Amino acid sequence: MTKTEKEYREASKQCEEIFVKKMEDYGTAWRIMRPTSITDQIMIKARRIRSLEIKGERKVDEGIQPEFIGIINYAAMALIQLKLGFIENPEMDHQEALTLYREQIETAFQLMNNKNHDYDEAWRAMRISSLTDLILMKLNRTKEIEDHKGETLISEGVDANYLDMINYAMFALIRFAEN
């Protein structure tokens, strides 16, 4: 296992722990959300990260790292919603939800490995603030695609954007752990 694979697995374990704890607190209430609403939730988190990066101070007792975890978990939820559709009765078996969550994180992990091969881990030379900006760009692209009812001429779909958001946020968590 490469260093990046090990670090990614450690970061994803941290995200999964939060996902499980939130599921214990709230159940699977997120299943009622349409993917567009989840995109907006991710936007809120990414904008808060950028705001904190620019201002250098916070007034709410939660830092940047939990927001990156939130982006990862919401993006995984969005991918599940794209696969299953949203429902009016949001309760889902917790083990089933966790299995679906793990499948999405594994898909992101495999994509990361493929891109790391081609890009030679270029993300390691990037600033965390650049990762934030890339997530915001992916969110804007996702919103455009959603507004066009998923139709694109040449671009990847919203699922690819969610996977990239997961990976950029994972990279940010890895960079934080290095410091």
Side-chain angles (χ1 to χ4, degrees):
M1 183 179 290
T2 68
K3 177 183 176 194
T4 297
E5 290 170 337
K6 183 177 184 279
E7 291 169 326
Y8 192 104
R9 293 291 190 203
E10 289 170 9
S12 64
K13 183 179 176 184
Q14 181 183 16
C15 296
E16 182 178 307
E17 288 172 4
I18 298 297
F19 180 81
V20 169
K21 287 178 182 174
K22 294 243 180 185
M23 193 164 42
E24 287 299 315
D25 286 348
Y26 305 128
T28 54
W30 54 270
R31 288 281 291 125
I32 203 165
M33 295 178 77
R34 292 170 281 188
T36 53
S37 298
I38 298 175
T39 299
D40 289 342
Q41 282 297 117
I42 298 169
M43 179 71 78
I44 290 167
K45 295 198 165 297
R47 284 188 176 172
R48 181 167 186 267
I49 292 167
R50 186 171 171 156
S51 172
L52 294 175
E53 288 171 345
I54 291 168
K55 293 175 184 171
E57 69 172 320
R58 62 189 163 128
K59 294 192 175 186
V60 176
D61 190 29
E62 192 168 87
I64 291 174
Q65 288 168 283
E67 299 292 6
F68 278 117
I69 291 170
I71 288 170
I72 292 162
N73 288 346
Y74 272 118
M77 291 175 207
L79 288 163
I80 293 168
Q81 294 297 78
L82 288 174
K83 180 178 180 178
L84 301 181
F86 61 93
I87 56 174
E88 295 304 317
N89 179 6
E91 198 50 42
M92 170 187 266
D93 176 74
H94 289 196
Q95 191 56 49
E96 180 184 359
L98 182 57
T99 298
L100 292 166
Y101 172 87
R102 287 176 175 160
E103 286 173 6
Q104 298 310 320
I105 297 300
E106 184 60 28
T107 299
F109 176 79
Q110 295 304 325
L111 177 65
M112 178 276 301
N113 265 335
N114 292 341
K115 287 189 175 186
N116 262 355
H117 174 271
D118 291 357
Y119 290 96
D120 201 28
E121 297 201 334
W123 65 271
R124 288 201 180 267
M126 295 174 65
R127 297 173 184 94
I128 292 173
S129 59
S130 295
L131 295 168
T132 303
D133 290 349
L134 285 170
I135 291 168
L136 285 163
M137 178 195 63
K138 291 289 182 177
L139 284 161
N140 283 316
R141 287 180 177 180
T142 300
K143 287 176 76 166
E144 283 292 320
I145 295 168
E146 289 170 344
D147 291 346
H148 291 107
K149 310 275 189 267
E151 298 294 321
T152 61
L153 297 175
I154 193 169
S155 304
E156 298 172 306
V158 294
D159 56 337
N161 285 293
Y162 286 132
L163 290 168
D164 285 343
M165 287 180 231
I166 288 172
N167 285 332
Y168 292 142
M170 286 288 192
F171 293 157
L173 291 177
I174 291 168
R175 296 294 310 281
F176 274 114
E178 289 173 345
N179 294 335

